[in-house]
Amino acid sequence: MTIKADTKSTQANAKEVVLTFVNALNEDDFETARGCLSDDMVFDGVLGHRDGADTYIKEMKKMKFKYKIKETFEDGNNVCLLYDIDMSGTKIFTCGWYQIKDGKIKSLKVVFDPRPILKKTEKK
């Protein structure tokens, strides 16, 4: 007997995990945000790489980014968000690709144009 997974349910669950995660970050609820991450999650972004959920959350506590979601796309266990991130007063349009495994975020890849941040850093 073959049991077929309900893809709509899988998509809703993946999307729900990601939205819970982002909303928790917006509210500085790092405990809830951490609960959405696999222990061995991997972050890859324009400005760096992080291995492990605890390392990632430690960095997020320092940065306290705020996210304004523009669009959400999902395909199975992959969720893509288009959002503005407020990075200490600089708003950056960003794309985040979240991969979900066993109900937790396993990997996050983020792309954006870093020039506004780099220009701000150069002025200091």
Side-chain angles (χ1 to χ4, degrees):
M1 177 177 179
T2 303
I3 299 173
K4 187 175 180 182
D6 180 341
T7 39
K8 285 195 177 220
S9 174
T10 302
Q11 288 177 352
N13 290 338
K15 180 179 175 181
E16 184 177 309
V17 169
V18 171
L19 294 179
T20 298
F21 172 72
V22 171
N23 287 332
L25 290 177
N26 277 342
E27 296 170 6
D28 295 334
D29 180 356
F30 299 105
E31 184 177 333
T32 297
R34 173 60 179 89
C36 295
L37 302 175
S38 174
D39 290 343
D40 61 346
M41 72 87 68
V42 174
F43 169 83
D44 279 305
V46 175
L47 301 175
H49 173 89
R50 302 288 181 275
D51 286 313
D54 292 333
T55 301
Y56 178 80
I57 290 296
K58 184 178 177 183
E59 292 293 318
M60 290 296 98
K61 285 179 179 179
K62 292 178 190 174
M63 294 185 238
K64 296 191 178 189
F65 294 154
K66 300 301 177 205
Y67 303 81
K68 183 175 181 185
I69 298 172
K70 303 288 188 179
E71 191 66 62
T72 306
F73 304 95
E74 65 262 339
D75 183 13
N77 287 323
N78 292 286
V79 178
C80 177
L81 297 184
L82 300 178
Y83 42 53
D84 286 331
I85 299 179
D86 186 330
M87 298 181 183
S88 303
T90 302
K91 288 193 173 124
I92 305 291
F93 181 72
T94 305
C95 177
W97 175 23
Y98 299 78
Q99 293 183 303
I100 311 303
K101 183 175 180 188
D102 299 325
K104 304 262 184 174
I105 298 169
K106 179 74 172 171
S107 73
L108 168 56
K109 293 186 182 198
V110 174
V111 293
F112 61 87
D113 178 358
R115 289 177 292 183
I117 296 168
L118 297 174
K119 284 180 187 173
K120 196 173 185 179
T121 305
E122 289 172 359
K123 291 179 182 179
K124 289 184 177 182

